Amino acid sequence: MKGTIGFQVKVEKDELYFVDNVLKAYEGLALTTVVGVKGEIGILNLEATEGTKDDVLEILENLQKQVELEIVEGE
């Protein structure tokens, strides 16, 4: 999507839907897509705008205090 910043979040598969639902609770902040599970790791794709990028990163960084997750920034 033009004008968006992509992120990928890798999280334990048992926490995947928790993280997805937390992000969806912030309606309009980011588009979330559950990619699936590889082994014990769940993968979630996010698309945010330049205006919401910092908010999304702040939420993800706060979530890292509760669940183990890895944030991979896209282009």
Short mmCIF file of all heavy atoms in Angstrom, two decimals:
data_model
loop_
_atom_site.label_atom_id
_atom_site.label_comp_id
_atom_site.label_asym_id
_atom_site.label_seq_id
_atom_site.Cartn_x
_atom_site.Cartn_y
_atom_site.Cartn_z
N MET A 1 0.84 -1.18 0.00
CA MET A 1 0.00 0.00 0.00
C MET A 1 0.89 1.25 0.00
O MET A 1 1.80 1.36 0.81
CB MET A 1 -0.85 -0.03 1.27
CG MET A 1 -2.26 0.25 1.09
SD MET A 1 -3.04 0.08 2.74
CE MET A 1 -4.64 0.50 2.29
N LYS A 2 0.62 2.17 -0.88
CA LYS A 2 1.41 3.38 -0.97
C LYS A 2 1.14 4.28 0.24
O LYS A 2 0.01 4.43 0.69
CB LYS A 2 1.06 4.14 -2.25
CG LYS A 2 2.00 5.28 -2.52
CD LYS A 2 1.71 5.91 -3.85
CE LYS A 2 2.72 6.99 -4.07
NZ LYS A 2 2.64 7.58 -5.37
N GLY A 3 2.23 4.85 0.79
CA GLY A 3 2.09 5.73 1.93
C GLY A 3 1.99 5.02 3.26
O GLY A 3 1.67 5.64 4.26
N THR A 4 2.26 3.72 3.26
CA THR A 4 2.22 2.98 4.52
C THR A 4 3.58 2.40 4.85
O THR A 4 4.43 2.24 3.98
CB THR A 4 1.18 1.83 4.47
OG1 THR A 4 1.55 0.91 3.46
CG2 THR A 4 -0.21 2.35 4.24
N ILE A 5 3.76 2.11 6.10
CA ILE A 5 4.98 1.48 6.60
C ILE A 5 4.58 0.09 7.07
O ILE A 5 3.64 -0.06 7.85
CB ILE A 5 5.60 2.29 7.76
CG1 ILE A 5 6.01 3.67 7.26
CG2 ILE A 5 6.79 1.56 8.36
CD1 ILE A 5 5.22 4.78 7.81
N GLY A 6 5.30 -0.90 6.60
CA GLY A 6 4.99 -2.27 6.97
C GLY A 6 5.84 -2.73 8.15
O GLY A 6 7.00 -2.37 8.27
N PHE A 7 5.23 -3.52 9.00
CA PHE A 7 5.90 -4.14 10.13
C PHE A 7 5.53 -5.61 10.12
O PHE A 7 4.45 -5.98 9.67
CB PHE A 7 5.40 -3.59 11.48
CG PHE A 7 5.65 -2.14 11.70
CD1 PHE A 7 4.72 -1.20 11.31
CD2 PHE A 7 6.80 -1.72 12.32
CE1 PHE A 7 4.93 0.14 11.52
CE2 PHE A 7 7.02 -0.38 12.55
CZ PHE A 7 6.09 0.56 12.14
N GLN A 8 6.41 -6.42 10.65
CA GLN A 8 6.06 -7.80 10.91
C GLN A 8 6.35 -8.05 12.39
O GLN A 8 7.39 -7.62 12.90
CB GLN A 8 6.87 -8.76 10.04
CG GLN A 8 6.34 -10.19 10.12
CD GLN A 8 6.99 -11.08 9.10
OE1 GLN A 8 8.13 -11.48 9.30
NE2 GLN A 8 6.27 -11.38 8.03
N VAL A 9 5.43 -8.69 13.05
CA VAL A 9 5.59 -9.00 14.46
C VAL A 9 5.63 -10.52 14.59
O VAL A 9 4.75 -11.22 14.07
CB VAL A 9 4.42 -8.43 15.30
CG1 VAL A 9 4.54 -8.84 16.74
CG2 VAL A 9 4.38 -6.92 15.17
N LYS A 10 6.66 -10.99 15.27
CA LYS A 10 6.79 -12.43 15.54
C LYS A 10 6.61 -12.62 17.04
O LYS A 10 7.25 -11.95 17.83
CB LYS A 10 8.15 -12.93 15.09
CG LYS A 10 8.35 -12.81 13.59
CD LYS A 10 9.70 -13.31 13.14
CE LYS A 10 9.84 -13.13 11.64
NZ LYS A 10 11.15 -13.59 11.17
N VAL A 11 5.71 -13.53 17.38
CA VAL A 11 5.32 -13.72 18.77
C VAL A 11 5.02 -15.20 18.98
O VAL A 11 4.71 -15.92 18.02
CB VAL A 11 4.10 -12.82 19.12
CG1 VAL A 11 2.90 -13.20 18.31
CG2 VAL A 11 3.79 -12.81 20.59
N GLU A 12 5.13 -15.65 20.22
CA GLU A 12 4.76 -17.04 20.50
C GLU A 12 3.35 -17.27 20.02
O GLU A 12 2.47 -16.42 20.19
CB GLU A 12 4.85 -17.31 22.00
CG GLU A 12 6.27 -17.31 22.54
CD GLU A 12 6.31 -17.60 24.03
OE1 GLU A 12 5.36 -18.19 24.56
OE2 GLU A 12 7.31 -17.21 24.64
N LYS A 13 3.11 -18.45 19.42
CA LYS A 13 1.80 -18.68 18.79
C LYS A 13 0.65 -18.58 19.78
O LYS A 13 -0.44 -18.17 19.41
CB LYS A 13 1.78 -20.03 18.07
CG LYS A 13 1.78 -21.24 18.95
CD LYS A 13 1.68 -22.50 18.12
CE LYS A 13 1.64 -23.72 19.02
NZ LYS A 13 1.56 -24.95 18.23
N ASP A 14 0.89 -18.88 21.06
CA ASP A 14 -0.18 -18.77 22.05
C ASP A 14 -0.57 -17.33 22.34
O ASP A 14 -1.64 -17.07 22.88
CB ASP A 14 0.25 -19.45 23.36
CG ASP A 14 0.41 -20.95 23.21
OD1 ASP A 14 -0.15 -21.52 22.26
OD2 ASP A 14 1.10 -21.55 24.06
N GLU A 15 0.28 -16.38 21.99
CA GLU A 15 0.03 -14.96 22.24
C GLU A 15 -0.39 -14.20 20.98
O GLU A 15 -0.70 -13.02 21.03
CB GLU A 15 1.28 -14.30 22.83
CG GLU A 15 1.77 -14.93 24.11
CD GLU A 15 0.85 -14.69 25.29
OE1 GLU A 15 -0.08 -13.86 25.20
OE2 GLU A 15 1.07 -15.34 26.33
N LEU A 16 -0.42 -14.88 19.84
CA LEU A 16 -0.68 -14.23 18.56
C LEU A 16 -2.01 -13.48 18.55
O LEU A 16 -2.07 -12.30 18.20
CB LEU A 16 -0.64 -15.26 17.43
CG LEU A 16 -0.92 -14.73 16.03
CD1 LEU A 16 0.14 -13.72 15.61
CD2 LEU A 16 -0.96 -15.88 15.04
N TYR A 17 -3.07 -14.12 18.95
CA TYR A 17 -4.38 -13.48 18.87
C TYR A 17 -4.56 -12.41 19.95
O TYR A 17 -5.29 -11.45 19.74
CB TYR A 17 -5.48 -14.53 18.88
CG TYR A 17 -5.46 -15.30 17.57
CD1 TYR A 17 -4.89 -16.56 17.49
CD2 TYR A 17 -5.94 -14.72 16.40
CE1 TYR A 17 -4.82 -17.23 16.27
CE2 TYR A 17 -5.87 -15.37 15.19
CZ TYR A 17 -5.31 -16.63 15.13
OH TYR A 17 -5.22 -17.28 13.92
N PHE A 18 -3.85 -12.54 21.06
CA PHE A 18 -3.87 -11.48 22.07
C PHE A 18 -3.28 -10.20 21.49
O PHE A 18 -3.89 -9.13 21.56
CB PHE A 18 -3.09 -11.92 23.32
CG PHE A 18 -2.81 -10.79 24.28
CD1 PHE A 18 -3.84 -10.23 25.02
CD2 PHE A 18 -1.53 -10.27 24.42
CE1 PHE A 18 -3.59 -9.18 25.90
CE2 PHE A 18 -1.28 -9.23 25.29
CZ PHE A 18 -2.31 -8.68 26.03
N VAL A 19 -2.09 -10.32 20.89
CA VAL A 19 -1.43 -9.15 20.29
C VAL A 19 -2.30 -8.58 19.17
O VAL A 19 -2.50 -7.36 19.08
CB VAL A 19 -0.02 -9.51 19.79
CG1 VAL A 19 0.61 -8.36 19.02
CG2 VAL A 19 0.88 -9.93 20.96
N ASP A 20 -2.85 -9.44 18.33
CA ASP A 20 -3.71 -9.00 17.23
C ASP A 20 -4.91 -8.21 17.76
O ASP A 20 -5.24 -7.14 17.27
CB ASP A 20 -4.17 -10.22 16.43
CG ASP A 20 -5.04 -9.85 15.24
OD1 ASP A 20 -4.70 -8.90 14.52
OD2 ASP A 20 -6.06 -10.53 15.03
N ASN A 21 -5.56 -8.74 18.79
CA ASN A 21 -6.74 -8.06 19.34
C ASN A 21 -6.41 -6.76 20.05
O ASN A 21 -7.20 -5.81 19.99
CB ASN A 21 -7.50 -9.01 20.27
CG ASN A 21 -8.27 -10.06 19.51
OD1 ASN A 21 -8.77 -9.80 18.42
ND2 ASN A 21 -8.35 -11.26 20.06
N VAL A 22 -5.27 -6.68 20.69
CA VAL A 22 -4.86 -5.41 21.31
C VAL A 22 -4.71 -4.35 20.23
O VAL A 22 -5.21 -3.22 20.36
CB VAL A 22 -3.55 -5.57 22.11
CG1 VAL A 22 -2.96 -4.20 22.48
CG2 VAL A 22 -3.77 -6.40 23.36
N LEU A 23 -4.05 -4.69 19.14
CA LEU A 23 -3.85 -3.72 18.06
C LEU A 23 -5.18 -3.35 17.38
O LEU A 23 -5.41 -2.19 17.03
CB LEU A 23 -2.86 -4.26 17.04
CG LEU A 23 -1.42 -4.34 17.57
CD1 LEU A 23 -0.57 -5.21 16.66
CD2 LEU A 23 -0.83 -2.95 17.70
N LYS A 24 -6.06 -4.31 17.22
CA LYS A 24 -7.36 -4.02 16.60
C LYS A 24 -8.24 -3.15 17.50
O LYS A 24 -9.12 -2.46 17.02
CB LYS A 24 -8.07 -5.32 16.26
CG LYS A 24 -7.48 -5.98 15.03
CD LYS A 24 -8.20 -7.26 14.68
CE LYS A 24 -7.60 -7.85 13.41
NZ LYS A 24 -8.18 -9.16 13.09
N ALA A 25 -7.99 -3.18 18.80
CA ALA A 25 -8.76 -2.34 19.73
C ALA A 25 -8.51 -0.86 19.46
O ALA A 25 -9.35 -0.02 19.76
CB ALA A 25 -8.40 -2.68 21.17
N TYR A 26 -7.34 -0.54 18.90
CA TYR A 26 -7.04 0.84 18.51
C TYR A 26 -7.50 1.02 17.06
O TYR A 26 -6.70 1.06 16.14
CB TYR A 26 -5.54 1.11 18.61
CG TYR A 26 -5.01 1.08 20.02
CD1 TYR A 26 -4.50 -0.09 20.58
CD2 TYR A 26 -4.99 2.24 20.79
CE1 TYR A 26 -4.00 -0.11 21.88
CE2 TYR A 26 -4.49 2.23 22.08
CZ TYR A 26 -4.01 1.05 22.62
OH TYR A 26 -3.52 1.03 23.89
N GLU A 27 -8.79 1.12 16.88
CA GLU A 27 -9.38 1.17 15.55
C GLU A 27 -8.74 2.24 14.68
O GLU A 27 -8.56 3.38 15.09
CB GLU A 27 -10.88 1.43 15.66
CG GLU A 27 -11.64 0.28 16.25
CD GLU A 27 -13.13 0.54 16.30
OE1 GLU A 27 -13.61 1.40 15.55
OE2 GLU A 27 -13.79 -0.12 17.12
N GLY A 28 -8.35 1.85 13.47
CA GLY A 28 -7.81 2.78 12.51
C GLY A 28 -6.33 3.08 12.67
O GLY A 28 -5.77 3.82 11.88
N LEU A 29 -5.69 2.53 13.68
CA LEU A 29 -4.28 2.82 13.91
C LEU A 29 -3.38 2.06 12.94
O LEU A 29 -2.40 2.62 12.43
CB LEU A 29 -3.90 2.48 15.35
CG LEU A 29 -2.63 3.12 15.88
CD1 LEU A 29 -2.74 4.64 15.88
CD2 LEU A 29 -2.35 2.62 17.28
N ALA A 30 -3.72 0.81 12.69
CA ALA A 30 -2.93 -0.01 11.77
C ALA A 30 -3.81 -1.12 11.21
O ALA A 30 -4.74 -1.58 11.87
CB ALA A 30 -1.73 -0.62 12.49
N LEU A 31 -3.50 -1.53 10.00
CA LEU A 31 -4.15 -2.67 9.40
C LEU A 31 -3.39 -3.91 9.85
O LEU A 31 -2.17 -3.98 9.67
CB LEU A 31 -4.13 -2.55 7.88
CG LEU A 31 -4.67 -3.73 7.08
CD1 LEU A 31 -6.16 -3.90 7.36
CD2 LEU A 31 -4.43 -3.52 5.61
N THR A 32 -4.06 -4.87 10.46
CA THR A 32 -3.40 -6.07 10.96
C THR A 32 -3.87 -7.28 10.16
O THR A 32 -5.04 -7.41 9.84
CB THR A 32 -3.68 -6.31 12.45
OG1 THR A 32 -5.07 -6.54 12.63
CG2 THR A 32 -3.25 -5.12 13.29
N THR A 33 -2.92 -8.15 9.84
CA THR A 33 -3.22 -9.39 9.14
C THR A 33 -2.44 -10.52 9.80
O THR A 33 -1.21 -10.44 9.89
CB THR A 33 -2.80 -9.29 7.66
OG1 THR A 33 -3.41 -8.16 7.07
CG2 THR A 33 -3.19 -10.55 6.90
N VAL A 34 -3.15 -11.53 10.25
CA VAL A 34 -2.48 -12.71 10.80
C VAL A 34 -2.01 -13.55 9.62
O VAL A 34 -2.81 -13.99 8.80
CB VAL A 34 -3.42 -13.53 11.71
CG1 VAL A 34 -2.74 -14.81 12.16
CG2 VAL A 34 -3.87 -12.70 12.91
N VAL A 35 -0.69 -13.73 9.53
CA VAL A 35 -0.11 -14.50 8.43
C VAL A 35 -0.23 -15.99 8.71
O VAL A 35 -0.57 -16.76 7.84
CB VAL A 35 1.37 -14.10 8.21
CG1 VAL A 35 2.02 -14.98 7.15
CG2 VAL A 35 1.48 -12.64 7.84
N GLY A 36 0.04 -16.36 9.94
CA GLY A 36 -0.05 -17.76 10.31
C GLY A 36 0.98 -18.12 11.36
O GLY A 36 1.54 -17.26 12.03
N VAL A 37 1.25 -19.41 11.45
CA VAL A 37 2.15 -19.92 12.48
C VAL A 37 3.21 -20.78 11.80
O VAL A 37 2.91 -21.59 10.94
CB VAL A 37 1.37 -20.76 13.51
CG1 VAL A 37 2.30 -21.38 14.53
CG2 VAL A 37 0.31 -19.92 14.20
N LYS A 38 4.47 -20.56 12.21
CA LYS A 38 5.58 -21.40 11.76
C LYS A 38 6.21 -21.99 13.00
O LYS A 38 6.86 -21.28 13.76
CB LYS A 38 6.61 -20.59 10.98
CG LYS A 38 6.11 -20.09 9.65
CD LYS A 38 7.20 -19.38 8.87
CE LYS A 38 6.66 -18.90 7.54
NZ LYS A 38 7.65 -18.15 6.78
N GLY A 39 5.96 -23.27 13.23
CA GLY A 39 6.45 -23.90 14.45
C GLY A 39 5.75 -23.31 15.65
O GLY A 39 4.53 -23.33 15.75
N GLU A 40 6.52 -22.73 16.55
CA GLU A 40 5.97 -22.13 17.77
C GLU A 40 5.81 -20.61 17.66
O GLU A 40 5.46 -19.95 18.62
CB GLU A 40 6.86 -22.46 18.97
CG GLU A 40 6.87 -23.94 19.33
CD GLU A 40 5.49 -24.43 19.75
OE1 GLU A 40 4.84 -23.79 20.59
OE2 GLU A 40 5.06 -25.48 19.22
N ILE A 41 6.10 -20.07 16.48
CA ILE A 41 6.08 -18.61 16.27
C ILE A 41 4.89 -18.21 15.42
O ILE A 41 4.68 -18.73 14.32
CB ILE A 41 7.39 -18.13 15.60
CG1 ILE A 41 8.61 -18.54 16.43
CG2 ILE A 41 7.36 -16.63 15.35
CD1 ILE A 41 8.66 -17.91 17.80
N GLY A 42 4.11 -17.25 15.92
CA GLY A 42 3.02 -16.67 15.16
C GLY A 42 3.50 -15.41 14.47
O GLY A 42 4.35 -14.68 15.00
N ILE A 43 3.01 -15.17 13.27
CA ILE A 43 3.45 -14.01 12.49
C ILE A 43 2.26 -13.12 12.16
O ILE A 43 1.22 -13.59 11.70
CB ILE A 43 4.14 -14.47 11.19
CG1 ILE A 43 5.34 -15.35 11.54
CG2 ILE A 43 4.56 -13.26 10.36
CD1 ILE A 43 5.95 -16.04 10.35
N LEU A 44 2.44 -11.84 12.42
CA LEU A 44 1.40 -10.84 12.22
C LEU A 44 1.99 -9.71 11.38
O LEU A 44 3.06 -9.19 11.69
CB LEU A 44 0.96 -10.30 13.58
CG LEU A 44 -0.11 -9.24 13.66
CD1 LEU A 44 -1.44 -9.81 13.19
CD2 LEU A 44 -0.24 -8.75 15.09
N ASN A 45 1.33 -9.37 10.28
CA ASN A 45 1.75 -8.23 9.46
C ASN A 45 0.93 -7.01 9.85
O ASN A 45 -0.27 -7.11 10.06
CB ASN A 45 1.56 -8.51 7.97
CG ASN A 45 2.64 -9.41 7.40
OD1 ASN A 45 3.69 -9.61 8.00
ND2 ASN A 45 2.37 -9.97 6.24
N LEU A 46 1.60 -5.86 9.91
CA LEU A 46 0.94 -4.59 10.22
C LEU A 46 1.27 -3.58 9.15
O LEU A 46 2.39 -3.55 8.63
CB LEU A 46 1.44 -4.04 11.56
CG LEU A 46 1.32 -4.91 12.79
CD1 LEU A 46 1.98 -4.22 13.97
CD2 LEU A 46 -0.12 -5.20 13.09
N GLU A 47 0.33 -2.72 8.84
CA GLU A 47 0.56 -1.58 7.96
C GLU A 47 0.05 -0.35 8.68
O GLU A 47 -1.11 -0.29 9.09
CB GLU A 47 -0.16 -1.76 6.63
CG GLU A 47 0.45 -2.84 5.76
CD GLU A 47 -0.21 -2.92 4.40
OE1 GLU A 47 -0.55 -1.85 3.84
OE2 GLU A 47 -0.39 -4.04 3.92
N ALA A 48 0.94 0.61 8.85
CA ALA A 48 0.60 1.87 9.51
C ALA A 48 0.97 3.03 8.59
O ALA A 48 1.77 2.87 7.67
CB ALA A 48 1.37 1.99 10.83
N THR A 49 0.40 4.18 8.86
CA THR A 49 0.77 5.37 8.09
C THR A 49 1.94 6.06 8.80
O THR A 49 2.26 5.73 9.95
CB THR A 49 -0.41 6.36 8.00
OG1 THR A 49 -0.71 6.84 9.31
CG2 THR A 49 -1.63 5.70 7.38
N GLU A 50 2.53 7.00 8.12
CA GLU A 50 3.61 7.77 8.75
C GLU A 50 3.11 8.45 10.02
O GLU A 50 3.83 8.56 11.01
CB GLU A 50 4.15 8.81 7.75
CG GLU A 50 5.41 9.50 8.21
CD GLU A 50 6.60 8.56 8.37
OE1 GLU A 50 6.82 7.71 7.50
OE2 GLU A 50 7.32 8.69 9.38
N GLY A 51 1.85 8.87 10.01
CA GLY A 51 1.27 9.55 11.16
C GLY A 51 0.98 8.64 12.35
O GLY A 51 0.92 9.10 13.49
N THR A 52 0.78 7.33 12.10
CA THR A 52 0.47 6.41 13.20
C THR A 52 1.64 5.49 13.56
O THR A 52 1.55 4.75 14.53
CB THR A 52 -0.76 5.54 12.87
OG1 THR A 52 -0.48 4.74 11.71
CG2 THR A 52 -1.99 6.39 12.64
N LYS A 53 2.70 5.56 12.79
CA LYS A 53 3.86 4.66 12.99
C LYS A 53 4.39 4.72 14.42
O LYS A 53 4.59 3.68 15.06
CB LYS A 53 4.98 5.03 12.02
CG LYS A 53 6.26 4.29 12.25
CD LYS A 53 7.38 4.83 11.38
CE LYS A 53 8.70 4.22 11.78
NZ LYS A 53 9.83 4.85 11.09
N ASP A 54 4.61 5.91 14.95
CA ASP A 54 5.16 6.04 16.29
C ASP A 54 4.22 5.47 17.35
O ASP A 54 4.67 4.84 18.31
CB ASP A 54 5.48 7.51 16.61
CG ASP A 54 6.65 8.04 15.78
OD1 ASP A 54 7.46 7.22 15.29
OD2 ASP A 54 6.75 9.27 15.64
N ASP A 55 2.92 5.66 17.17
CA ASP A 55 1.95 5.11 18.12
C ASP A 55 1.97 3.58 18.09
O ASP A 55 1.92 2.92 19.13
CB ASP A 55 0.54 5.62 17.82
CG ASP A 55 0.40 7.11 18.09
OD1 ASP A 55 1.10 7.63 18.98
OD2 ASP A 55 -0.44 7.74 17.42
N VAL A 56 2.03 3.02 16.88
CA VAL A 56 2.07 1.56 16.74
C VAL A 56 3.33 1.00 17.41
O VAL A 56 3.26 0.02 18.16
CB VAL A 56 2.01 1.14 15.26
CG1 VAL A 56 2.26 -0.35 15.10
CG2 VAL A 56 0.66 1.54 14.65
N LEU A 57 4.46 1.65 17.17
CA LEU A 57 5.71 1.18 17.79
C LEU A 57 5.65 1.29 19.31
O LEU A 57 6.14 0.40 20.01
CB LEU A 57 6.90 1.98 17.24
CG LEU A 57 7.34 1.61 15.83
CD1 LEU A 57 8.42 2.57 15.34
CD2 LEU A 57 7.83 0.17 15.77
N GLU A 58 5.05 2.35 19.81
CA GLU A 58 4.92 2.50 21.27
C GLU A 58 4.05 1.38 21.87
O GLU A 58 4.39 0.82 22.90
CB GLU A 58 4.32 3.87 21.60
CG GLU A 58 4.23 4.12 23.09
CD GLU A 58 3.67 5.50 23.42
OE1 GLU A 58 3.56 6.36 22.52
OE2 GLU A 58 3.35 5.72 24.60
N ILE A 59 2.97 1.07 21.20
CA ILE A 59 2.10 -0.02 21.67
C ILE A 59 2.86 -1.34 21.66
O ILE A 59 2.82 -2.11 22.62
CB ILE A 59 0.82 -0.10 20.82
CG1 ILE A 59 -0.05 1.12 21.06
CG2 ILE A 59 0.04 -1.39 21.12
CD1 ILE A 59 -1.15 1.31 20.04
N LEU A 60 3.57 -1.60 20.57
CA LEU A 60 4.33 -2.85 20.47
C LEU A 60 5.42 -2.94 21.53
O LEU A 60 5.65 -3.99 22.13
CB LEU A 60 4.93 -3.00 19.07
CG LEU A 60 3.93 -3.24 17.94
CD1 LEU A 60 4.62 -3.17 16.59
CD2 LEU A 60 3.22 -4.57 18.12
N GLU A 61 6.10 -1.82 21.77
CA GLU A 61 7.15 -1.80 22.80
C GLU A 61 6.55 -2.04 24.19
O GLU A 61 7.15 -2.72 25.01
CB GLU A 61 7.93 -0.49 22.74
CG GLU A 61 8.82 -0.42 21.50
CD GLU A 61 9.36 0.97 21.21
OE1 GLU A 61 9.08 1.92 21.97
OE2 GLU A 61 10.06 1.10 20.18
N ASN A 62 5.38 -1.50 24.45
CA ASN A 62 4.70 -1.77 25.72
C ASN A 62 4.25 -3.23 25.82
O ASN A 62 4.31 -3.82 26.89
CB ASN A 62 3.52 -0.83 25.93
CG ASN A 62 3.95 0.58 26.30
OD1 ASN A 62 4.95 0.76 26.99
ND2 ASN A 62 3.22 1.57 25.82
N LEU A 63 3.81 -3.79 24.71
CA LEU A 63 3.43 -5.20 24.71
C LEU A 63 4.62 -6.12 25.00
O LEU A 63 4.45 -7.20 25.56
CB LEU A 63 2.79 -5.58 23.37
CG LEU A 63 1.33 -5.21 23.19
CD1 LEU A 63 0.90 -5.45 21.74
CD2 LEU A 63 0.45 -5.99 24.13
N GLN A 64 5.81 -5.67 24.60
CA GLN A 64 7.02 -6.47 24.86
C GLN A 64 7.26 -6.66 26.35
O GLN A 64 7.97 -7.58 26.74
CB GLN A 64 8.25 -5.82 24.23
CG GLN A 64 8.33 -6.03 22.73
CD GLN A 64 9.53 -5.37 22.11
OE1 GLN A 64 9.88 -4.23 22.45
NE2 GLN A 64 10.16 -6.06 21.19
N LYS A 65 6.67 -5.83 27.18
CA LYS A 65 6.79 -5.99 28.64
C LYS A 65 5.91 -7.14 29.14
O LYS A 65 6.12 -7.66 30.22
CB LYS A 65 6.41 -4.69 29.35
CG LYS A 65 7.34 -3.53 29.00
CD LYS A 65 6.83 -2.23 29.58
CE LYS A 65 7.68 -1.07 29.08
NZ LYS A 65 7.13 0.23 29.50
N GLN A 66 4.89 -7.51 28.35
CA GLN A 66 3.95 -8.55 28.74
C GLN A 66 4.19 -9.87 28.02
O GLN A 66 3.98 -10.93 28.59
CB GLN A 66 2.51 -8.10 28.48
CG GLN A 66 2.12 -6.90 29.30
CD GLN A 66 0.71 -6.45 28.97
OE1 GLN A 66 0.26 -6.55 27.83
NE2 GLN A 66 0.01 -5.95 29.96
N VAL A 67 4.55 -9.80 26.76
CA VAL A 67 4.78 -11.01 25.96
C VAL A 67 6.09 -10.84 25.19
O VAL A 67 6.50 -9.73 24.87
CB VAL A 67 3.62 -11.30 24.98
CG1 VAL A 67 2.32 -11.53 25.69
CG2 VAL A 67 3.46 -10.19 23.96
N GLU A 68 6.69 -11.98 24.89
CA GLU A 68 7.92 -11.94 24.12
C GLU A 68 7.55 -11.79 22.64
O GLU A 68 6.85 -12.64 22.08
CB GLU A 68 8.69 -13.24 24.34
CG GLU A 68 10.10 -13.16 23.82
CD GLU A 68 10.91 -14.37 24.24
OE1 GLU A 68 10.74 -14.84 25.38
OE2 GLU A 68 11.70 -14.83 23.41
N LEU A 69 7.97 -10.68 22.04
CA LEU A 69 7.70 -10.48 20.62
C LEU A 69 8.85 -9.75 19.96
O LEU A 69 9.60 -9.03 20.61
CB LEU A 69 6.37 -9.75 20.40
CG LEU A 69 6.18 -8.31 20.89
CD1 LEU A 69 6.70 -7.30 19.88
CD2 LEU A 69 4.70 -8.05 21.10
N GLU A 70 8.98 -9.98 18.67
CA GLU A 70 10.02 -9.34 17.87
C GLU A 70 9.36 -8.46 16.83
O GLU A 70 8.42 -8.88 16.15
CB GLU A 70 10.86 -10.41 17.18
CG GLU A 70 11.93 -9.87 16.27
CD GLU A 70 12.67 -10.93 15.48
OE1 GLU A 70 12.39 -12.13 15.67
OE2 GLU A 70 13.49 -10.55 14.64
N ILE A 71 9.85 -7.24 16.72
CA ILE A 71 9.32 -6.28 15.74
C ILE A 71 10.32 -6.17 14.61
O ILE A 71 11.49 -5.86 14.83
CB ILE A 71 9.13 -4.88 16.38
CG1 ILE A 71 8.26 -4.97 17.62
CG2 ILE A 71 8.55 -3.91 15.36
CD1 ILE A 71 8.34 -3.73 18.51
N VAL A 72 9.84 -6.43 13.38
CA VAL A 72 10.69 -6.29 12.21
C VAL A 72 10.07 -5.20 11.34
O VAL A 72 8.96 -5.36 10.83
CB VAL A 72 10.75 -7.62 11.41
CG1 VAL A 72 11.66 -7.47 10.19
CG2 VAL A 72 11.22 -8.75 12.31
N GLU A 73 10.79 -4.06 11.23
CA GLU A 73 10.28 -2.95 10.43
C GLU A 73 10.50 -3.21 8.97
O GLU A 73 11.54 -3.71 8.56
CB GLU A 73 10.99 -1.64 10.82
CG GLU A 73 10.15 -0.78 11.72
CD GLU A 73 10.73 0.58 11.94
OE1 GLU A 73 10.45 1.49 11.13
OE2 GLU A 73 11.45 0.74 12.92
N GLY A 74 9.50 -2.88 8.17
CA GLY A 74 9.60 -3.05 6.73
C GLY A 74 10.08 -1.77 6.09
O GLY A 74 10.74 -0.95 6.70
N GLU A 75 9.70 -1.62 4.84
CA GLU A 75 10.14 -0.44 4.08
C GLU A 75 9.31 0.77 4.39
O GLU A 75 8.21 0.77 4.72
CB GLU A 75 10.09 -0.72 2.58
CG GLU A 75 9.28 -1.91 2.21
CD GLU A 75 9.34 -2.24 0.74
OE1 GLU A 75 8.68 -1.55 -0.05
OE2 GLU A 75 10.03 -3.19 0.41
#
